[in-house]
Amino acid sequence: MTLPSLHIGNLIATIPIIQGGMGIGISLSGLAGAVAKEGGIGVISAAQPGFNEPDFRTHTMDANLRALAFHLQKARETAPKGIIGVNIMTKGQNYAAYAKCAVENNADIIFSGAGLPADLPTFTMGTKTKIAPIISTAKACRVMLKLWDRHHHVTADMVVIEGPKAGGHLGYTREEVKIHEHDGYENEILHIVDVVREFEEKYKKKIPVVFGGGIFDKSDIEHYLSLGLDGVQMATRFVATKECDAAESFKKMYVKAKKEDITIVQSPTKMPGRALINPFVERIRQCRQQVNNCFHCLKTCDPRTTPYCITMALIRAVRGDVDNALIFCGANAYRIKEITTVQRLMTELST
Ligand SMILES: Cc1cc2nc3c(=O)[nH]c(=O)nc-3n(C[C@H](O)[C@H](O)[C@H](O)COP(=O)(O)O)c2cc1C
């Protein structure tokens, strides 16, 4: 089967694959530009994108906004005709500043999960930047779309469903993750599609729905398309590519991983997250890690009680200090056997 293209209003991705945003620094311009160039949608993470800037500790937001603008421009140079998005976590501080920066620097689309991005339309209204909430339940989808309908008189340009096998933070409790992983989660997907159809009807516009979480190969993609979805969001497989912006040792952790190395950890966001078991994860399970320097990255984190500093844990990860870092991954990371290129991966997934 030839995969259909993904239409989001006037934007057309020739391959219906979105590379999910991965923070901190795992998906910047290197990965996003390469995916967009191959016809997918490349997504830059707005989680502390300035971590490598010299003034990151002293002028964190200046560094982050400068870096976000830089990576958007660089990805655009790599893929002048491609679709480039930005992922902004709703639970993060300074949401408005990141959203405005993405719009000013011509992001094609903003993806926002980890909470309900209630105010997102205020920043994109009247611009070409499209908006896509990332949700995990039909209930959250309805609340989100109703909020935008009531307060902003707009609806989503696309909806991303993130399932229980995804990497990074998960939109469920630990117990729900276990239940959903086993019951296949497909009923929930169909309920979400029904909710979206109501808003399509009201706004007389097509709202594509894509699914992400545990998608590994072309047959998985075909399966979700057969359920009536318009495309997929994939992240874990893109980590094991030459173009991924993380250090080589981070990528090698995926290649080495066995099924039993993948676990659920509690994150300072108060959401569970999926990650690889390593000495860092074993340490945080035993005792709280001292937080000496708070980056004020999360609305929900209290440095006095947080089990560890998530900014530092994720910066050490992207830099390759893999024993002292939080290595987020999806449930199927253990199936990865080699590091490839984005071009080869996109060909494998689409032909
Ligand atoms: C290393 C890693 C970091 C991630 N970081 C983020 C993030 O910052 N924001 C977000 O919305 N999702 C994040 N995710 C979730 C992905 O964007 C994606 O939706 C999900 O992992 C898809 O499942 P898959 O990895 O099994 O393909 C992350 C995933 C991984 C593997």
Side-chain angles (χ1 to χ4, degrees):
M1 167 186 171
T2 314
L3 300 181
S5 48
L6 170 61
H7 294 241
I8 311 156
N10 60 336
L11 299 177
I12 302 174
T14 49
I15 301 180
I17 298 176
I18 299 162
Q19 160 257 305
M22 290 180 276
I24 291 175
I26 312 288
S27 70
L28 295 174
S29 50
L31 181 57
V35 174
K37 191 172 168 202
E38 294 306 315
I41 299 181
V43 181
I44 294 168
S45 160
Q48 310 280 37
F51 71 98
N52 265 340
E53 297 288 300
D55 56 347
F56 177 65
R57 272 184 187 267
T58 50
H59 300 90
T60 307
M61 265 322 274
D62 290 348
N64 281 336
L65 297 177
R66 190 184 324 123
L68 182 58
F70 168 81
H71 283 291
L72 271 161
Q73 282 154 23
K74 195 152 173 244
R76 183 73 64 207
E77 281 164 26
T78 307
K81 297 198 176 116
I83 305 177
I84 314 279
V86 172
N87 177 298
I88 312 175
M89 269 177 63
T90 312
K91 276 192 197 290
Q93 296 279 17
N94 303 301
Y95 187 90
Y98 287 118
K100 284 183 197 155
C101 178
V103 170
E104 278 162 19
N105 288 281
N106 298 317
D108 292 304
I109 180 159
I110 294 176
F111 295 88
S112 238
L116 300 179
D119 297 330
L120 178 53
T122 12
F123 310 111
T124 56
M125 203 93 71
T127 75
K128 66 157 202 152
T129 306
K130 302 201 169 357
I131 51 177
I134 304 173
I135 46 87
S136 295
T137 62
K139 189 172 161 203
C141 184
R142 183 176 296 286
V143 170
M144 180 70 263
L145 296 183
K146 256 195 183 166
L147 263 174
W148 283 359
D149 179 36
R150 275 211 203 123
H151 297 296
H152 306 286
H153 312 292
V154 293
T155 194
D157 295 298
M158 174 160 68
V159 169
V160 179
I161 305 175
E162 203 175 64
K165 292 188 177 176
H169 293 115
L170 303 169
Y172 318 87
T173 62
R174 265 167 199 265
E175 293 68 35
E176 284 169 340
V177 172
K178 283 203 192 100
I179 298 164
H180 283 314
E181 262 188 346
H182 294 293
D183 76 5
Y185 186 65
E186 284 180 6
N187 276 338
E188 193 69 31
I189 294 179
L190 298 177
H191 285 141
I192 296 171
V193 171
D194 285 345
V195 172
V196 175
R197 297 290 173 251
E198 289 173 32
F199 289 85
E200 271 190 332
E201 188 64 26
K202 174 159 186 188
Y203 280 86
K204 302 273 174 267
K205 97 175 196 186
K206 164 83 184 151
I207 308 172
V209 183
V210 306
F211 174 76
I215 293 178
F216 197 81
D217 55 23
K218 189 178 179 212
S219 66
D220 294 335
I221 299 174
E222 285 170 342
H223 173 69
Y224 287 102
L225 295 179
S226 77
L227 294 181
L229 300 180
D230 301 280
V232 294
Q233 170 155 303
M234 299 176 65
T236 293
R237 290 224 56 195
F238 285 107
V239 169
T241 61
K242 196 169 88 25
E243 293 87 347
C244 168
D245 296 272
E248 189 75 7
S249 49
F250 183 104
K251 303 174 190 178
K252 284 192 176 146
M253 288 289 281
Y254 277 33
V255 178
K256 279 193 303 195
K258 296 196 276 308
K259 192 172 187 178
E260 56 275 21
D261 297 333
I262 298 171
T263 190
I264 303 288
V265 294
Q266 203 55 39
S267 144
T269 55
K270 314 263 191 293
M271 300 163 90
R274 183 172 279 107
L276 287 174
I277 299 174
N278 64 353
F280 176 80
V281 165
E282 278 160 6
R283 278 203 301 276
I284 58 169
R285 280 182 173 161
Q286 276 157 22
C287 63
R288 200 175 87 77
Q289 308 290 292
Q290 195 71 33
V291 175
N292 299 320
N293 185 0
C294 177
F295 291 90
H296 306 285
C297 62
L298 293 171
K299 290 176 193 152
T300 47
C301 180
D302 178 350
R304 290 164 308 181
T305 54
T306 185
Y308 55 93
C309 168
I310 191 149
T311 285
M312 282 318 298
L314 294 177
I315 291 177
R316 287 193 292 263
V318 65
R319 290 191 173 148
D321 182 6
V322 290
D323 287 346
N324 297 306
L326 186 59
I327 313 285
F328 277 146
C329 70
N332 277 331
Y334 73 96
R335 291 170 63 189
I336 289 176
K337 299 291 173 240
E338 59 170 2
I339 297 170
T340 182
T341 64
V342 166
Q343 187 182 39
R344 268 193 269 144
L345 179 58
M346 291 294 270
T347 306
E348 177 197 319
L349 293 170
S350 61
T351 53

